[in-house]
Amino acid sequence: MKAIEFYSPDDLVELKNWWNSQIKIIPDSFPTLSIAEHAQKYRIMPPGTPRPGPLDLKGYTPYLIEPMNNMSPFSYVQHEVVMKGAQIGFTLLLECVLLYYMGYDPSDIMFVSATADLIERWGSRRLEPAIDSYGYRDLIKPVSDTKNTRKTGDRVFSKEFFGC
């Protein structure tokens, strides 16, 4: 059992000064944009979507900004539970998070859907145009040309990108 610790205002000032000194060790290459800012800067919605053109989270879907930023690599949030209605943009949120990690912090990512058909349609209609709008096509490992190997980097159900 842990005891409750109480801090004086002087202790909190000292803790804040210590924290600020630690922030200086973060390398300059670390992304300075949040996931939402990154999405608004780079995401272009394709023709045929309800709002084609540059993504405007603040104007149309401000409720996506906080959960999007909670999924960043420097967020303190470890688990997030969202109660929401259907068709209000959370697939867009997940696409922006996926593309952020693809460009800034390459790691294994699993995107789960209800059926293989749905994920195949999402991949061709939503993910491929999103990858192109971010300019991340060069990050996808090229498809192998040899017939003997089954390993390819750009498949319907799997995308391999550099850094993973």
Short mmCIF file of all heavy atoms in Angstrom, two decimals, residues 120-152:
data_model
loop_
_atom_site.label_atom_id
_atom_site.label_comp_id
_atom_site.label_asym_id
_atom_site.label_seq_id
_atom_site.Cartn_x
_atom_site.Cartn_y
_atom_site.Cartn_z
N GLU A 120 -10.72 -4.52 -47.58
CA GLU A 120 -10.23 -4.40 -48.97
C GLU A 120 -10.76 -3.13 -49.62
O GLU A 120 -10.02 -2.40 -50.27
CB GLU A 120 -10.65 -5.63 -49.77
CG GLU A 120 -10.06 -5.69 -51.14
CD GLU A 120 -10.38 -6.99 -51.85
OE1 GLU A 120 -10.93 -7.91 -51.25
OE2 GLU A 120 -10.06 -7.07 -53.05
N ARG A 121 -12.05 -2.84 -49.41
CA ARG A 121 -12.63 -1.61 -49.96
C ARG A 121 -12.03 -0.37 -49.31
O ARG A 121 -11.73 0.62 -49.97
CB ARG A 121 -14.14 -1.60 -49.81
CG ARG A 121 -14.85 -2.45 -50.84
CD ARG A 121 -16.32 -2.22 -50.83
NE ARG A 121 -16.85 -2.65 -49.53
CZ ARG A 121 -18.00 -2.24 -49.02
NH1 ARG A 121 -18.75 -1.40 -49.65
NH2 ARG A 121 -18.41 -2.69 -47.85
N TRP A 122 -11.83 -0.41 -47.99
CA TRP A 122 -11.22 0.71 -47.29
C TRP A 122 -9.80 0.95 -47.79
O TRP A 122 -9.41 2.09 -48.02
CB TRP A 122 -11.21 0.44 -45.77
CG TRP A 122 -10.37 1.42 -45.03
CD1 TRP A 122 -10.71 2.70 -44.69
CD2 TRP A 122 -9.04 1.23 -44.57
NE1 TRP A 122 -9.67 3.30 -44.01
CE2 TRP A 122 -8.62 2.42 -43.94
CE3 TRP A 122 -8.14 0.16 -44.61
CZ2 TRP A 122 -7.37 2.57 -43.36
CZ3 TRP A 122 -6.90 0.30 -44.04
CH2 TRP A 122 -6.53 1.49 -43.43
N GLY A 123 -9.06 -0.12 -47.99
CA GLY A 123 -7.69 0.02 -48.46
C GLY A 123 -7.60 0.67 -49.82
O GLY A 123 -6.75 1.54 -50.06
N SER A 124 -8.47 0.29 -50.74
CA SER A 124 -8.40 0.84 -52.09
C SER A 124 -9.04 2.22 -52.20
O SER A 124 -8.56 3.07 -52.93
CB SER A 124 -9.04 -0.12 -53.08
OG SER A 124 -10.41 -0.29 -52.81
N ARG A 125 -10.12 2.46 -51.47
CA ARG A 125 -10.84 3.73 -51.59
C ARG A 125 -10.34 4.83 -50.66
O ARG A 125 -10.47 6.01 -50.97
CB ARG A 125 -12.33 3.52 -51.31
CG ARG A 125 -13.02 2.71 -52.37
CD ARG A 125 -14.47 2.58 -52.07
NE ARG A 125 -15.12 1.69 -53.02
CZ ARG A 125 -16.34 1.24 -52.88
NH1 ARG A 125 -17.06 1.60 -51.83
NH2 ARG A 125 -16.86 0.45 -53.78
N ARG A 126 -9.85 4.45 -49.50
CA ARG A 126 -9.48 5.46 -48.50
C ARG A 126 -7.98 5.51 -48.22
O ARG A 126 -7.39 6.58 -48.19
CB ARG A 126 -10.22 5.20 -47.18
CG ARG A 126 -11.73 5.19 -47.28
CD ARG A 126 -12.33 6.58 -47.27
NE ARG A 126 -11.97 7.37 -46.13
CZ ARG A 126 -12.69 7.55 -45.05
NH1 ARG A 126 -13.87 7.00 -44.94
NH2 ARG A 126 -12.26 8.31 -44.07
N LEU A 127 -7.36 4.34 -47.97
CA LEU A 127 -5.96 4.34 -47.57
C LEU A 127 -5.02 4.72 -48.71
O LEU A 127 -4.12 5.53 -48.52
CB LEU A 127 -5.56 2.97 -47.00
CG LEU A 127 -4.12 2.88 -46.48
CD1 LEU A 127 -3.89 3.88 -45.35
CD2 LEU A 127 -3.81 1.47 -46.03
N GLU A 128 -5.23 4.15 -49.88
CA GLU A 128 -4.35 4.47 -51.02
C GLU A 128 -4.35 5.96 -51.36
O GLU A 128 -3.30 6.56 -51.51
CB GLU A 128 -4.73 3.63 -52.24
CG GLU A 128 -4.41 2.15 -52.11
CD GLU A 128 -2.92 1.85 -52.00
OE1 GLU A 128 -2.11 2.61 -52.56
OE2 GLU A 128 -2.58 0.85 -51.36
N PRO A 129 -5.54 6.60 -51.48
CA PRO A 129 -5.53 8.05 -51.73
C PRO A 129 -4.90 8.85 -50.58
O PRO A 129 -4.25 9.87 -50.80
CB PRO A 129 -7.01 8.42 -51.89
CG PRO A 129 -7.68 7.16 -52.27
CD PRO A 129 -6.90 6.06 -51.61
N ALA A 130 -5.07 8.38 -49.34
CA ALA A 130 -4.48 9.08 -48.20
C ALA A 130 -2.95 8.99 -48.25
O ALA A 130 -2.26 9.98 -48.01
CB ALA A 130 -4.99 8.47 -46.89
N ILE A 131 -2.42 7.82 -48.59
CA ILE A 131 -0.97 7.66 -48.72
C ILE A 131 -0.45 8.59 -49.79
O ILE A 131 0.58 9.25 -49.62
CB ILE A 131 -0.61 6.18 -49.02
CG1 ILE A 131 -0.84 5.33 -47.77
CG2 ILE A 131 0.82 6.05 -49.51
CD1 ILE A 131 -0.73 3.84 -48.01
N ASP A 132 -1.17 8.69 -50.90
CA ASP A 132 -0.75 9.58 -51.98
C ASP A 132 -0.83 11.05 -51.57
O ASP A 132 0.04 11.85 -51.92
CB ASP A 132 -1.60 9.33 -53.23
CG ASP A 132 -1.33 7.97 -53.85
OD1 ASP A 132 -0.23 7.42 -53.63
OD2 ASP A 132 -2.22 7.45 -54.54
N SER A 133 -1.89 11.43 -50.82
CA SER A 133 -2.05 12.83 -50.43
C SER A 133 -0.95 13.27 -49.47
O SER A 133 -0.56 14.43 -49.47
CB SER A 133 -3.43 13.09 -49.83
OG SER A 133 -3.52 12.63 -48.50
N TYR A 134 -0.46 12.37 -48.65
CA TYR A 134 0.63 12.70 -47.73
C TYR A 134 1.98 12.67 -48.42
O TYR A 134 2.97 13.11 -47.86
CB TYR A 134 0.67 11.70 -46.58
CG TYR A 134 -0.22 12.04 -45.40
CD1 TYR A 134 -1.60 12.01 -45.49
CD2 TYR A 134 0.33 12.37 -44.18
CE1 TYR A 134 -2.40 12.29 -44.41
CE2 TYR A 134 -0.46 12.66 -43.08
CZ TYR A 134 -1.83 12.62 -43.21
OH TYR A 134 -2.62 12.92 -42.13
N GLY A 135 2.04 12.12 -49.62
CA GLY A 135 3.32 11.98 -50.31
C GLY A 135 4.14 10.84 -49.74
O GLY A 135 5.36 10.84 -49.84
N TYR A 136 3.48 9.84 -49.19
CA TYR A 136 4.16 8.72 -48.55
C TYR A 136 4.33 7.51 -49.47
O TYR A 136 4.74 6.46 -49.03
CB TYR A 136 3.40 8.28 -47.31
CG TYR A 136 3.58 9.17 -46.11
CD1 TYR A 136 2.91 8.92 -44.94
CD2 TYR A 136 4.42 10.27 -46.14
CE1 TYR A 136 3.06 9.72 -43.82
CE2 TYR A 136 4.58 11.09 -45.04
CZ TYR A 136 3.89 10.81 -43.88
OH TYR A 136 4.04 11.60 -42.78
N ARG A 137 4.03 7.65 -50.74
CA ARG A 137 4.15 6.52 -51.65
C ARG A 137 5.57 5.97 -51.66
O ARG A 137 5.79 4.77 -51.77
CB ARG A 137 3.72 6.94 -53.07
CG ARG A 137 3.74 5.87 -54.11
CD ARG A 137 2.89 4.66 -53.83
NE ARG A 137 1.51 4.99 -53.57
CZ ARG A 137 0.67 4.13 -52.97
NH1 ARG A 137 1.05 2.94 -52.62
NH2 ARG A 137 -0.56 4.48 -52.75
N ASP A 138 6.58 6.84 -51.51
CA ASP A 138 7.98 6.40 -51.50
C ASP A 138 8.33 5.63 -50.23
O ASP A 138 9.35 4.95 -50.20
CB ASP A 138 8.92 7.59 -51.64
CG ASP A 138 8.79 8.26 -53.00
OD1 ASP A 138 8.30 7.61 -53.94
OD2 ASP A 138 9.17 9.44 -53.11
N LEU A 139 7.51 5.73 -49.18
CA LEU A 139 7.79 5.00 -47.95
C LEU A 139 7.39 3.52 -48.05
O LEU A 139 7.89 2.69 -47.29
CB LEU A 139 7.05 5.62 -46.76
CG LEU A 139 7.48 7.01 -46.34
CD1 LEU A 139 6.61 7.48 -45.17
CD2 LEU A 139 8.93 7.04 -45.95
N ILE A 140 6.47 3.22 -48.97
CA ILE A 140 6.02 1.84 -49.13
C ILE A 140 7.11 1.05 -49.83
O ILE A 140 7.62 1.48 -50.87
CB ILE A 140 4.71 1.77 -49.95
CG1 ILE A 140 3.61 2.63 -49.30
CG2 ILE A 140 4.25 0.34 -50.13
CD1 ILE A 140 3.05 2.11 -48.03
N LYS A 141 7.45 -0.10 -49.28
CA LYS A 141 8.47 -0.93 -49.91
C LYS A 141 7.94 -1.41 -51.26
O LYS A 141 6.77 -1.76 -51.39
CB LYS A 141 8.82 -2.12 -49.02
CG LYS A 141 9.56 -1.69 -47.78
CD LYS A 141 9.97 -2.88 -46.95
CE LYS A 141 10.71 -2.40 -45.72
NZ LYS A 141 11.06 -3.51 -44.82
N PRO A 142 8.79 -1.43 -52.29
CA PRO A 142 8.32 -1.80 -53.61
C PRO A 142 7.90 -3.27 -53.70
O PRO A 142 8.37 -4.11 -52.94
CB PRO A 142 9.53 -1.54 -54.51
CG PRO A 142 10.69 -1.54 -53.60
CD PRO A 142 10.21 -1.12 -52.26
N VAL A 143 7.01 -3.53 -54.66
CA VAL A 143 6.55 -4.90 -54.91
C VAL A 143 7.68 -5.65 -55.57
O VAL A 143 8.33 -5.15 -56.48
CB VAL A 143 5.29 -4.88 -55.80
CG1 VAL A 143 4.86 -6.30 -56.15
CG2 VAL A 143 4.18 -4.12 -55.13
N SER A 144 7.90 -6.87 -55.14
CA SER A 144 8.96 -7.69 -55.71
C SER A 144 8.58 -8.13 -57.11
O SER A 144 7.44 -8.49 -57.37
CB SER A 144 9.20 -8.91 -54.82
OG SER A 144 10.17 -9.73 -55.37
N ASP A 145 9.55 -8.12 -58.03
CA ASP A 145 9.28 -8.49 -59.42
C ASP A 145 9.49 -9.97 -59.70
O ASP A 145 9.05 -10.47 -60.72
CB ASP A 145 10.19 -7.69 -60.36
CG ASP A 145 9.83 -6.22 -60.37
OD1 ASP A 145 8.66 -5.90 -60.17
OD2 ASP A 145 10.75 -5.42 -60.58
N THR A 146 10.16 -10.66 -58.82
CA THR A 146 10.44 -12.07 -59.09
C THR A 146 9.22 -12.92 -58.79
O THR A 146 8.48 -12.67 -57.85
CB THR A 146 11.63 -12.57 -58.25
OG1 THR A 146 11.28 -12.42 -56.87
CG2 THR A 146 12.88 -11.77 -58.56
N LYS A 147 9.03 -13.96 -59.60
CA LYS A 147 7.85 -14.80 -59.44
C LYS A 147 8.03 -15.81 -58.31
O LYS A 147 7.07 -16.35 -57.81
CB LYS A 147 7.55 -15.53 -60.74
CG LYS A 147 7.08 -14.61 -61.82
CD LYS A 147 6.55 -15.39 -62.99
CE LYS A 147 6.06 -14.40 -64.01
NZ LYS A 147 4.89 -14.85 -64.70
N ASN A 148 9.27 -16.08 -57.92
CA ASN A 148 9.51 -17.10 -56.90
C ASN A 148 9.23 -16.60 -55.48
O ASN A 148 9.00 -17.39 -54.60
CB ASN A 148 10.97 -17.60 -56.99
CG ASN A 148 11.21 -18.33 -58.28
OD1 ASN A 148 10.28 -18.86 -58.87
ND2 ASN A 148 12.45 -18.35 -58.73
N THR A 149 9.28 -15.34 -55.27
CA THR A 149 9.05 -14.83 -53.92
C THR A 149 7.61 -14.36 -53.76
O THR A 149 7.02 -13.82 -54.67
CB THR A 149 10.03 -13.69 -53.59
OG1 THR A 149 9.78 -13.30 -52.24
CG2 THR A 149 9.86 -12.50 -54.49
N ARG A 150 7.06 -14.59 -52.59
CA ARG A 150 5.69 -14.16 -52.30
C ARG A 150 5.71 -12.88 -51.46
O ARG A 150 4.68 -12.32 -51.18
CB ARG A 150 4.95 -15.26 -51.57
CG ARG A 150 4.78 -16.50 -52.43
CD ARG A 150 4.31 -17.70 -51.65
NE ARG A 150 3.05 -17.55 -50.98
CZ ARG A 150 1.85 -17.68 -51.55
NH1 ARG A 150 1.76 -17.94 -52.83
NH2 ARG A 150 0.76 -17.55 -50.84
N LYS A 151 6.88 -12.45 -51.07
CA LYS A 151 7.01 -11.29 -50.21
C LYS A 151 6.93 -10.00 -51.04
O LYS A 151 7.77 -9.75 -51.87
CB LYS A 151 8.33 -11.34 -49.47
CG LYS A 151 8.51 -10.22 -48.52
CD LYS A 151 8.48 -10.74 -47.14
CE LYS A 151 8.84 -9.63 -46.18
NZ LYS A 151 8.14 -9.76 -44.97
N THR A 152 5.91 -9.21 -50.83
CA THR A 152 5.79 -7.92 -51.49
C THR A 152 5.47 -6.87 -50.42
O THR A 152 4.88 -7.18 -49.40
CB THR A 152 4.68 -7.91 -52.55
OG1 THR A 152 3.45 -8.19 -51.92
CG2 THR A 152 4.95 -8.93 -53.64
#
